[in-house]
Structure formats: C-alpha cells, structure tokens
Amino acid sequence: MAGLCFKFVELIEELSMLKAIEKEFLDPATTWVLKNLESDLNATWSAAEGRLVTLELGALHTTPSQDYEIGNRRGGPMVYAVITGSWRVRPIDDNAKKGKRLKREKRRAGRLLEFCDIASTKVELYDAKAPKIRLGMWRMELGAEDHPGCYFHVHILGDSDEPPFPQTIPIPRLPSMFITPMGAIEYVLSELFQDKWAKAAARNVHEVQRWRTLQTERLKRLLEWYQKELSSVVSSPWVQLKTAKPSDRLFL
C-alpha cells in the first residue's frame, strides 16, 4: 500500500495560513522553525520525483498558558508545549502519471507529496516555572502498512523504558482525527488556549476562512471514509476501523 498523498500547494498554503493565525499563541523566539519547515517543504517540492526526504520540525514552543479550561475556570500551573516532528516523504509528479506533458511550472503545481514510513508529531508539556520537568507527552502519527492500530492514531509517552507507558508496550494507540503536521499544531493550540483559539479561529479574515475551508474538507473526507468502512462490518466495528487503511488519494 502506498502512503498518504497531499497536494503540495495545499500543504504550503496550510503552513502559510497557520503562520498568519498563530501570532499570539507561539513563542516568537521559536517561530523560525516554521520558516525552516516551509523552506524545506519548498525545496522538496522541487526535488526529483520519488526521492525520499525527511522533513523535520524543530522545537516549536507555545506561549505559557493557564487557559486550558473554558469560561471563568482557570487551569492549574502555567504550562507551555514544545512541538517537534519528523515525516518521511517523497514528491510525486501526478501530471506525469496521468500522461500529461506540461510546462515545468504547471507540472510543479500539480505535484503531490506522499507521507510514507515515519509520520509523527510529538507534543511535550512543561511547567513554565520548572521547565526541566516534563509533565506529559503524546505523539500524533500516521500508521505504516503493517501497523496494528488505527491508521490515524495517538501514542501516549512511549519514548523511554520507564513506566508509565514504556517503549516496550506500544499501546494504547488512540484513534485520532488530526491529519497533517499543521492540523496537529492547531490541536495543541486549541487545547492550551481554549477560548482564545476559538475566537481566533472564528475571525472573518482571508487566512482564517481558508484554514476553516481546508480543514473542514479534510475532516469530512476522513469521516466519510470511516462511515464507508462501517457499512461492511465483518467482525466488530472497532476491529474494522483498526484494520482499515485509507487510499493514498483520500485527501485529493
């Protein structure tokens, strides 16, 4: 089975929109890692077809927050998140596969990026007053072809040999609805800044409107795929969803 494909133009647009929305939520001293990711993504866009590339997100810090409750309730300690990621990808010339002979720029506009093998966004939480102590960690991932859990899943901890959730026991693999690295970053911001992110995501400016449209379309396709899988259950519905692997063109 092939990996999961996305349109290059949409991924770059998605990253650009996130950079326009996040200004009050991310530590300005670390937002350069988003610029680096954008630069690497653009370089991969121009890479030879089929060449395997590893995209990396350096340590992106959120601003500290106690706003992880809603309304008048306040959270406990002031915390911040550190988001990193690693994704093994390769560019695909979709126009060439369709037998189209186009000029370079038009061919480039039709290129796809396939996520394959490693596809992981890691989130770590720290107390702002004791930044050397990690409070929690999870990873939002896409599964490999032989992965035993949901294709879209979340791992809790699992990066050391110590309990709880040691590396040697890679469960639970919790189902997830967050698809791209940028979508995973939005999830973190929406958790840490409950009311503020909701207000920011409701603004009627071009970047936010386009972000909503793109994310809504992806979630609709994901939910439609789940629904389709459940229309022909052989064992239990949960086993069906655990073993289901999406088409590489689910989001095209």
Side-chain angles (χ1 to χ4, degrees):
M1 187 194 77
L4 201 59
C5 292
F6 296 88
K7 295 178 181 178
F8 255 111
V9 289
E10 286 189 351
L11 290 173
I12 290 174
E13 185 184 18
E14 187 182 16
L15 182 52
S16 177
M17 289 183 292
L18 179 64
K19 286 166 55 186
I21 300 170
E22 54 69 26
K23 296 192 183 332
E24 64 179 297
F25 303 102
L26 296 179
D27 181 351
T30 67
T31 52
W32 60 270
V33 303
L34 289 177
K35 295 178 182 178
N36 279 9
L37 179 61
E38 185 175 34
S39 177
D40 291 344
L41 192 54
N42 273 302
T44 305
W45 195 350
S46 301
E49 182 182 7
R51 178 188 170 194
L52 282 171
V53 177
T54 299
L55 294 176
E56 301 276 358
L57 177 69
L60 179 66
H61 291 224
T62 70
T63 54
S65 173
Q66 275 185 307
D67 299 328
Y68 38 89
E69 296 285 1
I70 59 173
N72 295 323
R73 292 183 294 172
R74 302 291 288 176
M78 187 75 73
V79 302
Y80 67 94
V82 178
I83 308 168
T84 55
S86 181
W87 309 280
R88 192 78 163 152
V89 299
R90 60 185 167 201
I92 298 172
D93 192 339
D94 199 38
N95 288 318
K97 290 186 179 302
K98 293 177 180 177
K100 295 181 180 180
R101 293 186 177 183
L102 301 174
K103 290 184 178 179
R104 182 178 180 275
E105 285 305 311
K106 286 190 176 181
R107 286 187 63 184
R108 191 169 180 262
R111 292 197 107 185
L112 307 177
L113 189 67
E114 180 186 26
F115 284 66
C116 47
D117 193 23
I118 298 170
S120 180
T121 305
K122 181 177 179 179
V123 184
E124 298 171 282
L125 293 181
Y126 293 90
D127 187 329
K129 292 183 178 179
K132 292 185 179 181
I133 301 174
R134 190 172 73 174
L135 301 176
M137 189 276 280
W138 68 91
R139 289 168 287 149
M140 290 176 270
E141 300 181 329
L142 303 181
E145 183 175 358
D146 58 350
H147 204 277
C150 283
Y151 184 82
F152 304 96
H153 65 269
V154 174
H155 270 300
I156 300 174
L157 295 174
D159 62 345
S160 76
D161 294 328
E162 301 299 321
F165 303 108
Q167 219 171 18
T168 51
I169 306 176
I171 56 173
R173 301 179 187 90
L174 302 173
S176 173
M177 297 176 66
F178 301 95
I179 302 155
T180 64
M182 286 67 78
I185 291 172
E186 183 193 12
Y187 172 74
V188 177
L189 299 181
S190 70
E191 285 291 282
L192 280 182
F193 306 94
Q194 295 281 342
D195 294 331
K196 288 181 181 179
W197 181 260
K199 289 178 182 177
R203 288 181 296 156
N204 286 317
V205 296
H206 171 72
E207 291 86 358
V208 179
Q209 290 173 334
R210 178 63 185 136
W211 177 270
R212 282 199 297 266
T213 300
L214 184 57
Q215 301 304 328
T216 299
E217 179 62 28
R218 289 204 184 126
L219 283 174
K220 281 182 176 179
R221 291 191 182 205
L222 179 59
L223 292 173
E224 286 170 0
W225 173 63
Y226 279 138
Q227 189 174 30
K228 184 178 178 181
E229 287 296 324
L230 291 175
S231 66
S232 56
V233 174
V234 177
S235 177
S236 79
W238 177 237
V239 171
Q240 184 83 9
L241 292 182
K242 275 183 62 177
T243 56
K245 300 296 185 289
S247 161
D248 62 331
R249 308 220 158 201
L250 178 62
F251 299 113
L252 299 182

